[in-house]
Amino acid sequence: MPTPETLEKFIARVESNAHIEALQEFYAENSTMQENQSPPRMGRAAHIANEQRVLPRAKSLTSTCVRPVFVNGDHVAIRWIFVFEWQDGSVTRMEEMAWQRWEGERVVEETFFYDPAQRTPVAPKK
């Protein structure tokens, strides 16, 4: 179970858009990450590689934790809003729930729940 201090550090790291650093610091080497019902990504290295593919495509990213955060033993539920402004000026706003299982101070399993229709970028206003 994460300490309240660890959970706050994790949230602060994500909100500062240090996503790769958050993965390195707070995810177990053998952790799994799953988007809705897609097959899970296996291992911290795969999570980092995924971020390294997505983040350079964004001109800017705003990451916001919508409180409260729910903790029950080793399980944590966090509501996130991510706003990506892509290089072409289009915008994607993703609101999702992250369901995490922690072992000690590291995430070992995470599933994101969101409406996949949100992934479609909205064209820039002219």
Side-chain angles (χ1 to χ4, degrees), residues 8 12-13 18 39-40 55 57 63 68 75 80-81 84 97-99 101 109 114 122:
E8 287 304 318
R13 184 78 79 212
L55 294 176
R57 295 179 20 225
S63 306
H75 291 91
W80 293 107
I81 296 175
F84 296 85
M97 284 297 296
W99 176 249
R101 185 172 64 82
E109 186 178 350
Y114 57 86
V122 176

Side-chain angles (χ1 to χ4, degrees), residues 68 70 77-80 95-99 110-114:
F70 296 98
I78 304 173
R79 180 177 166 203
W80 293 107
E95 184 169 349
E96 65 185 28
M97 284 297 296
W99 176 249
E110 183 168 45
T111 303
F112 299 109
F113 298 94
Y114 57 86

Side-chain angles (χ1 to χ4, degrees), residues 2 7 9 12 18 21 27 33 39-40 52-54 63-64 66 78 83 88 91 93-94 97 105 110 124 126:
L7 202 48
K9 286 179 187 175
E21 293 84 349
Y27 286 72
M33 190 178 284
Q52 289 173 329
R53 278 191 301 276
V54 173
S63 306
T64 306
V66 181
I78 304 173
V83 180
D88 66 0
V91 174
R93 182 182 186 279
M94 294 283 299
M97 284 297 296
E105 300 294 298
E110 183 168 45
K126 298 198 179 204

Side-chain angles (χ1 to χ4, degrees), residues 22-43:
L23 291 167
Q24 292 167 333
E25 187 174 346
F26 297 101
Y27 286 72
E29 186 176 341
N30 62 344
S31 59
T32 64
M33 190 178 284
Q34 184 175 13
E35 310 267 343
N36 288 330
Q37 299 303 309
S38 297
R41 285 187 294 279
M42 309 295 282

Side-chain angles (χ1 to χ4, degrees), residues 47-63:
H47 313 327
I48 291 170
N50 185 65
E51 292 296 310
Q52 289 173 329
R53 278 191 301 276
V54 173
L55 294 176
R57 295 179 20 225
K59 186 186 315 183
S60 69
L61 170 60
T62 303
S63 306

